Amino acid sequence: MTTAYVGRFAPSPTGPLHAGSLVAALASWLDARAHAGRWLVRIEDVDTPRCVAGADRIILAQLAACGLTPDEPVMIQSRRTDCYQRALDTLIAAGQAYPCACSRKDIEDALAVRGIRRPRHAELVYPGTCRDGLHGRRARAWRFLTQNRQEKELQAVDGYNKSAIEKVVNPLVTWQDRWLGAQQQDVAAQVGDFVLKRADGLWAYQLAVVVDDAAQGITHVVRGADLADNTPRQMLLQRALRLPTPAYLHTPLVRGANGDKLSKQNGARAIDTTSSARSLQALVAAAAVLGLPPQTGSVAEALAAWVSAWRHLYNSDSS
Ligand code: GLU
């Protein structure tokens, strides 16, 4: 509907594309083409210990073999640390980010005192220990404040700038996902004050993705449903940084034989793009996950047919 559409595919270079990541790549490309928009690729390599040397080049070659070529030069997150630091500085100045001295053990102990033991996706809901200052402990990470502070807590914060404080944080985030429908999450209760910069000095995915989606002018995010849970955190960050919120569509996941989400971690194999027939085969499998019919002919012909089908099936909301 709109020519202002900008979409993206944002793989982490932790290995080659597999059947699951191709679904997200294809869906984001189809949605961009169906909206006559632009489609960008961003290499999300901030989590350096998980990155595999050369995986970015392999991913781009696999995408090209599948007819999915970005409309602009690829953005590389590891070159953008200054931008992430500026965003963190903005949040600190607004009283929405604070240093945290807690180790994982500290967090577990603080939760245990409150009788809470249940990990959530192996992550623990941060109990807010350092919200009112470090009390002489050494800062390890930076966290985002997901709820309003009491005035007395505010006064205890180092360098607290009362006039700059964003007074109202509403941690209950709702959004209309274009695939999943109405969604909501209370970020304060279900996630807690989340990390922006990690204890090992690396930038957290949540901050980098929000800064970069805005920098690239992304209007529509199309990605796997495993990431839907992150969307409310990203929306809170967008509000705090006064950045626009894109429309979201989270695609169905491809499951492995054991029923778990197919991922590089559970040994998903690279898609085979060694011939155009094999690339088409991989695309047909990805299209099926998206409810699109099989196609024959060339990769370009198949993609064109799927763009029409996508427009018909999924563009009705035009969001
Ligand atoms: N880099 C993330 C991943 O590969 C995707 C981030 C996103 O699409 O927002 O899982």
Side-chain angles (χ1 to χ4, degrees):
M1 181 196 118
T2 166
T3 49
Y5 182 113
V6 186
R8 56 38 162 211
F9 175 55
S12 303
T14 53
L17 284 185
H18 55 73
S21 39
L22 184 62
V23 172
L26 177 63
S28 61
W29 185 89
L30 289 174
D31 199 47
R33 289 292 173 266
H35 284 86
R38 281 179 296 141
W39 184 73
L40 313 184
V41 171
R42 180 169 73 231
I43 297 293
E44 299 211 313
D45 56 350
V46 277
D47 191 354
T48 41
R50 288 184 57 230
C51 294
V52 173
D56 51 346
R57 282 197 308 279
I58 295 172
I59 291 170
L60 294 172
Q62 289 173 304
L63 289 172
C66 289
L68 312 177
T69 45
D71 296 320
E72 286 179 17
V74 172
M75 178 180 271
I76 315 272
Q77 285 193 325
S78 55
R79 299 185 190 156
R80 293 181 43 76
T81 53
D82 291 355
C83 302
Y84 310 141
Q85 185 63 54
R86 272 200 297 278
L88 177 60
D89 290 344
T90 302
L91 294 170
I92 294 168
Q96 289 222 228
Y98 64 88
C100 174
C102 297
S103 64
R104 189 175 174 83
K105 170 105 182 28
D106 295 332
I107 298 171
E108 280 167 359
D109 291 349
L111 289 170
V113 167
R114 299 178 190 193
I116 304 166
R117 290 188 188 281
R118 190 171 60 87
R120 176 185 165 281
H121 301 312
E123 286 292 329
L124 300 162
V125 175
Y126 183 64
T129 317
C130 295
R131 214 178 272 154
D132 65 347
L134 294 170
H135 303 295
R137 294 150 79 225
R138 193 177 57 84
R140 294 163 48 89
W142 285 87
R143 290 184 181 273
F144 181 77
L145 180 70
T146 55
Q147 55 191 233
N148 298 312
R149 289 196 243 220
Q150 304 300 316
E151 191 62 29
K152 67 173 179 358
E153 286 180 306
L154 287 173
Q155 282 156 7
V157 175
D158 293 341
Y160 156 57
N161 175 354
K162 188 170 181 179
S163 59
I165 293 278
E166 176 66 64
K167 281 278 189 291
V168 184
V169 185
N170 182 358
L172 183 65
V173 177
T174 59
W175 88 95
Q176 191 65 28
D177 192 274
R178 292 173 55 216
W179 192 291
L180 303 173
Q183 304 290 307
Q184 77 168 44
Q185 184 184 74
D186 181 333
V187 181
Q190 292 173 254
V191 180
D193 294 349
F194 54 89
V195 170
L196 300 168
K197 190 175 190 188
R198 298 168 15 172
D200 57 10
L202 296 178
W203 293 101
Y205 156 66
Q206 310 296 348
L207 182 70
V209 81
V210 163
V211 169
D212 289 345
D213 279 340
Q216 293 190 294
I218 302 301
T219 59
H220 291 67
V221 169
V222 176
R223 60 186 178 191
D226 54 320
L227 293 163
D229 185 50
N230 296 271
T231 304
R233 270 170 277 179
Q234 294 169 15
M235 289 174 68
L236 282 187
L237 275 175
Q238 288 152 2
R239 284 175 204 164
L241 291 165
R242 306 205 191 294
L243 299 173
T245 290
Y248 287 96
L249 185 160
H250 290 91
T251 59
L253 298 181
V254 179
R255 306 221 169 252
N258 62 358
D260 286 349
K261 179 195 92 126
L262 199 62
S263 73
K264 291 157 199 161
Q265 285 70 36
N266 67 19
R269 267 179 313 170
I271 53 163
D272 183 351
T273 53
T274 51
S275 70
S276 47
R278 288 181 176 157
S279 299
L280 180 64
Q281 210 180 342
L283 284 165
V284 166
V289 175
L290 298 167
L292 301 169
Q295 300 293 335
T296 51
S298 69
V299 164
E301 286 162 351
L303 289 173
W306 286 322
V307 170
S308 308
W310 183 277
R311 194 177 285 129
H312 182 68
L313 285 170
Y314 304 124
N315 269 20
S316 51
D317 70 349
S318 299
S319 53

